[in-house]
């Protein structure tokens, strides 16, 4: 369990190719097209097979796993879908697992469960620990800068999530733990202190985000829930995606949710707005191509959504989310 909470992190340019050249054979390589093409041919060629993962639909994952050869390890390289596909195969087979993110926009490479889709709904299956997480700066810098900045949105959510967690502690919600909350706040301070390097997508900024991801994952495991970093801001994002039928860059839409929910909470709105601005993460509706009507519609439907989904208590459960309030929140952006 200790290794699960603090995954082995390697920060080095070229570490993916070096690992592939020395990994005991046979191993399976699951990678998305762009990072696969960037790998040196000699390193890529050592794999027993190299596949581009299908969708994360359960049946697709099952069919893929059944056709893969026997191997001692699985290597996943790419974005969130490649991370989850590799975790799925390693979990089902009990093999070693190596994960190498090509962008730092989601935390799938440090989390232990697998985001499997069942009829369009996300369910989290299994528990698997990567032997190593390979943070190869050469590869990550190939991605557009805004995708790497986006990852910080899922850390800035600590601001609103902790408010929901603490204020919901006496409402038969997830039990609040002051020690874990203090650790989460410390992580948030570390991230905001590194805002300039995150905005500039420096190696140090990328490392700050990855280490913060790992720390938050450990906190969630210890707390037995995602309350240290997930609250009303995530609920807003979930419903917005459902109502619009769109998939947004996760950290960007979460940052938008943080702006809206911090205003609803009356929770240091100017402070978190400044932090979001300094990190450079995109969040404004016009940048994400989200219309005003969709924002208002999401806010008006949020209370019914969280109650139907039986989500932990948040500000949404007690706020007076009338049309006037919803429009005022949208205007505040």
């Amino acid at each position: 369990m200790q290794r699960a909470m603090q995954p082995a992190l390697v920060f080095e340019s070229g570490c993916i190719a070096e690992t592939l050249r020395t990994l005991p054979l046979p191993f399976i390589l699951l990678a998305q097209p762009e990072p696969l093409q960037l790998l040196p041919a000699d390193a890529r060629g050592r794999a027993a097979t190299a596949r581009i993962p299908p969708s994360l639909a359960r049946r697709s994952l099952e069919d893929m796993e059944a056709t893969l050869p026997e191997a001692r390890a699985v290597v996943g390289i790419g974005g969130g879908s490649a991370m989850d596909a590799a975790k799925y195969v390693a979990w089902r087979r009990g093999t070693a697992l190596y994960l190498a993110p090509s962008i730092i926009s989601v935390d799938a490479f440090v989390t232990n469960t697998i985001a499997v889709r069942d009829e369009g709904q996300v369910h989290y299956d299994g528990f698997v620990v990567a032997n190593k997480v390979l943070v190869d700066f050469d590869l990550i810098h190939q991605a557009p800068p805004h995708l790497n900045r986006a990852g910080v949105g899922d850390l800035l959510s600590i601001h609103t999530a902790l408010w929901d967690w603490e204020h919901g502690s006496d409402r038969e919600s997830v039990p609040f733990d002051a020690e874990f909350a203090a650790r989460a706040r410390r992580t948030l301070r570390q991230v905001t202190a590194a805002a300039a390097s995150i905005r500039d997508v420096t190696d140090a900024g990328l490392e700050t985000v990855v280490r913060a991801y790992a720390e938050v994952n450990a906190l969630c495991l210890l707390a037995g829930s995602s309350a240290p970093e997930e609250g009303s801001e995530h609920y807003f994002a979930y419903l917005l995606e459902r109502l619009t039928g769109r998939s947004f860059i996760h950290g960007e839409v979460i940052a938008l949710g943080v702006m809206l929910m911090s205003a609803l909470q009356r929770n240091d709105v100017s402070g978190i707005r400044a932090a979001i601005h300094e990190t450079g993460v995109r969040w404004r509706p016009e940048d994400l191509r989200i219309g005003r009507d969709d924002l208002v519609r999401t806010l008006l439907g949020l209370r019914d959504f969280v109650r139907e989904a039986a989500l932990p208590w948040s500000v949404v459960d007690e706020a007076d989310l009338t049309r006037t309030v919803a429009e005022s929140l949208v205007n505040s952006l």
Side-chain angles (χ1 to χ4, degrees), residues 239 298-309 315-322:
L239 182 57
T298 301
L299 290 168
L300 291 176
L302 203 47
R303 179 172 297 167
D304 287 342
F305 170 73
V306 300
R307 290 179 177 175
E308 288 169 6
V315 66
V316 173
D317 287 281
E318 71 173 20
D320 186 21
L321 268 173
T322 63

Side-chain angles (χ1 to χ4, degrees), residues 259-267 315-316 319-321 325 329:
M259 285 302 309
L260 288 165
M261 294 300 108
S262 63
L264 195 61
Q265 296 168 343
R266 296 187 175 90
N267 175 18
V315 66
V316 173
D320 186 21
L321 268 173
V325 171
L329 286 171

Side-chain angles (χ1 to χ4, degrees), residues 133-150:
V133 172
L134 306 169
V135 183
D136 189 326
F137 295 125
D138 284 346
L139 175 62
I140 292 168
H141 283 302
Q142 299 295 318
H146 78 274
L147 292 180
N148 286 321
R149 294 187 191 108

Side-chain angles (χ1 to χ4, degrees), residues 9-75:
L9 303 173
V10 178
F11 297 92
E12 184 181 351
S13 294
C15 62
I16 299 174
E18 180 181 349
T19 298
L20 294 182
R21 289 180 179 124
T22 58
L23 203 61
L25 301 176
F27 65 87
I28 294 166
L29 178 57
L30 299 177
Q32 289 164 320
E34 294 84 358
L36 186 61
Q37 292 169 4
L38 292 170
L39 291 174
D42 67 307
R44 184 176 66 239
R46 294 190 76 238
T49 186
R51 299 277 188 91
I52 297 170
S55 74
L56 293 176
R58 187 179 302 276
R59 178 58 62 86
S60 294
L61 289 172
E62 290 173 348
D63 291 346
M64 177 193 69
E65 190 276 329
T67 63
L68 291 170
E70 293 297 319
R72 298 170 64 180
V74 179
V75 181

Side-chain angles (χ1 to χ4, degrees), residues 30 89 115 129 162 206 215 259 273 280 300 305 312 332:
L30 299 177
V89 175
V129 180
L162 287 184
L206 294 170
E215 169 67 2
M259 285 302 309
R273 179 187 284 269
L300 291 176
F305 170 73
S332 73

Side-chain angles (χ1 to χ4, degrees), residues 227-243:
E229 60 90 29
E230 179 175 315
S232 52
E233 74 296 319
H234 276 73
Y235 307 162
F236 164 82
Y238 298 152
L239 182 57
L240 179 66
E241 290 195 335
R242 174 185 289 187
L243 292 179

